[in-house]
Amino acid sequence: MSGYLRLRQIALVAPDLERAVADIETALGVRLCFRDVNVAKYGLVNALFPIGTDFLEIVTPTREGTTAGRFMTTTAGRGGYMAIFDCDDPERRREHAKALGIRLAATLEHPGFWGTQLHPKDCRATMLEFDRSEGNETLMGGYHPAGPDWQRCVKTDVTRALRGIEIESPDAAGIAAHWSRIIDRPLSADGREIACDTSWIRFVDAPAGSREVLATLVLDVADPEAMLARARGRGQPDTDRAFDLYGVSCRVR
């Protein structure tokens, strides 16, 4: 497969990793697949969960002065920390971002893995990352950030897939056009949506003066009412067809 671009992973920040792991396993009915010891050099611990063939990651700072810690403080815990794309050409996308004047936050390279993180202030709303793993041409192939055998942990009887995300902004049209340039994918006819290969990104109006945020994950689930009840039982506030989970709203359908 060539020319692919998939919104593959969302990262959230939580103050207590083990509590977050328990909350996510209970609310979403997913299974922990990997803890990456390499994130320790960034002052973090983490946990990853497959959502179908996509992933939810939780990171927790372990020391002062981390990017994730500053994010948690400045945002008061609201908003998603990172949106990570799986693609065949992270090197090209790195040069494309630089040509647009987007600063690089990090260049990632491990055996069988290449990636680029873009500066969140230049991206607006959240940090964007473009990765390639050996074997990730197919959705059930290799995906380095999730460990060597993540496929054994896929569990879709409760949560089936990540269908899309919503970005809230008082300048929704402006950030939509900005992300379209960075991601190098066209906007929909209404100028508010970008289609990736397996999901979509929607840009939603927010009140004037509010902060731009990755606000919502849209999940395909087997039983929305049961999921809302489980989230409520864990003390996670819920509204119409959605519940809060470590900075984002999870809308179920």
Side-chain angles (χ1 to χ4, degrees):
M1 181 179 181
S2 62
Y4 59 91
L5 176 71
R6 303 177 289 230
L7 176 60
R8 198 73 192 272
Q9 180 177 330
I10 299 298
L12 309 179
V13 184
D16 182 335
L17 183 65
E18 299 314 315
R19 173 59 191 261
V21 167
D23 284 340
I24 290 166
E25 288 182 329
T26 300
L28 301 185
V30 292
R31 185 176 296 140
L32 174 68
C33 71
F34 192 57
R35 297 176 188 260
D36 187 356
V37 296
N38 291 310
V39 301
K41 64 185 176 184
Y42 302 113
L44 302 173
V45 288
N46 80 335
L48 273 93
F49 308 83
I51 300 180
T53 54
D54 299 312
F55 299 89
L56 180 64
E57 179 184 13
I58 296 291
V59 302
T60 296
T62 59
R63 64 172 186 246
E64 297 293 325
T66 65
T67 302
R70 288 192 295 271
F71 173 86
M72 194 161 46
T73 299
T74 59
T75 63
R78 182 166 186 266
Y81 179 51
M82 297 181 70
I84 300 170
F85 296 84
D86 180 29
C87 62
D88 64 311
D89 57 351
E91 298 87 356
R92 182 191 73 80
R93 292 179 182 280
R94 178 186 309 148
E95 296 307 311
H96 176 71
K98 288 164 63 176
L100 293 174
I102 307 295
R103 290 170 289 173
L104 304 185
T107 298
L108 310 172
E109 187 167 346
H110 305 288
F113 176 76
W114 304 265
T116 297
Q117 291 178 350
L118 305 183
H119 199 290
K121 288 187 178 180
D122 292 350
C123 295
R124 301 166 54 177
T126 192
M127 185 184 293
L128 300 180
E129 178 176 322
F130 298 94
D131 296 338
R132 176 166 60 89
S133 300
E134 281 187 359
N136 72 346
E137 292 83 1
T138 63
L139 284 167
M140 288 297 286
Y143 188 70
H144 181 274
D149 58 355
W150 64 268
Q151 298 89 342
R152 295 193 304 121
C153 297
V154 173
K155 185 174 179 287
T156 58
D157 58 318
V158 178
T159 302
R160 296 167 174 160
L162 172 66
R163 290 303 182 199
I165 62 173
E166 290 183 356
I167 308 299
E168 291 184 3
S169 170
D171 177 28
I175 192 173
H178 184 56
W179 276 36
S180 177
R181 288 189 291 270
I182 296 173
I183 295 170
D184 201 19
R185 282 286 175 100
L187 286 167
S188 59
D190 67 358
R192 295 301 183 92
E193 192 166 300
I194 299 171
C196 298
D197 290 4
T198 56
S199 58
W200 45 261
I201 305 164
R202 184 80 182 165
F203 300 87
V204 179
D205 290 313
S210 60
R211 192 174 60 83
E212 295 179 321
V213 293
L214 193 174
T216 302
L217 312 183
V218 180
L219 303 175
D220 179 5
V221 307
D223 187 339
E225 296 307 323
M227 181 168 289
L228 291 171
R230 282 194 301 275
R232 198 176 305 125
R234 298 288 296 185
Q236 292 149 325
D238 69 287
T239 54
D240 183 32
R241 309 290 284 183
F243 63 93
D244 292 345
L245 185 72
Y246 294 101
V248 296
S249 175
C250 291
R251 185 177 306 140
V252 297
R253 68 179 195 182

